[in-house]
Amino acid sequence: MQSNDARIIRGAAIPTAATGVLAMAIGAATAGLDGAIGAGLGVLVAGSFFALGLMSLGYVGRRWPELFFGAAFLIYTTQMGILLVLLLLLRDAEFLHGRAFAAGVLAGLAVWLAGQVRAHVKVRTPYVEPVADSASVPSGSASPGGRP
């Protein structure tokens, strides 16, 4: 993992973890232990989904940069499909409060994306490799006007 990728993941994971603690407190206050478990699990699911997606996209970007945009689309749609299936499987779970779980997923999703955008803006990753002027013109070649 490149240092920029690690900074972006940290920039999104730390606010998401704080949101998880806050969501668990709100869930406990509104729906008891089931609400706290549901909200915490929801934020955990959202954060882990996006972290795994970002790490896999970083791997694809380093290994096959020409496939980056297609892989980004595939990873994101796969994440949303798996999240939909997970929400459908856990909607009638006895051990968690369904609305608190959904609120935790939404809160985790929103905070993760905001943290990721903020981290991307702060990282300043160069997208063009600069080339030195002396290296771009071989020695002994003619100038554009035809004069040496």
Side-chain angles (χ1 to χ4, degrees):
M1 178 179 294
Q2 294 180 349
S3 64
N4 287 344
D5 294 341
R7 283 190 285 178
I8 291 169
I9 289 175
R10 266 194 316 273
I14 291 171
T16 304
T19 301
V21 171
L22 181 64
M24 287 180 69
I26 293 171
T30 58
L33 182 61
D34 290 344
I37 292 171
L41 185 61
V43 173
L44 180 69
V45 164
S48 62
F49 268 56
F50 280 106
L52 289 172
L54 192 59
M55 287 189 297
S56 60
L57 191 59
Y59 174 76
V60 169
R62 283 187 308 278
R63 178 112 181 181
W64 302 286
E66 66 276 2
L67 299 177
F68 184 78
F69 288 114
F73 178 73
L74 181 65
I75 289 169
Y76 184 74
T77 54
T78 302
Q79 283 177 326
M80 293 302 108
I82 292 172
L83 186 59
L84 175 66
V85 169
L86 186 64
L87 288 173
L88 291 174
L89 288 174
L90 291 177
R91 71 177 166 197
D92 294 328
E94 300 279 331
F95 63 91
L96 58 83
H97 191 267
R99 289 183 188 212
F101 177 73
V105 168
L106 289 175
L109 183 140
V111 171
W112 178 276
L113 290 177
Q116 185 175 346
V117 166
R118 183 175 184 273
H120 270 291
V121 169
K122 289 179 71 176
V123 165
R124 301 184 189 270
T125 305
Y127 57 90
V128 175
E129 295 291 328
V131 178
D133 288 336
S134 62
S136 63
V137 178
S139 62
S141 65
S143 65
R147 296 185 185 132

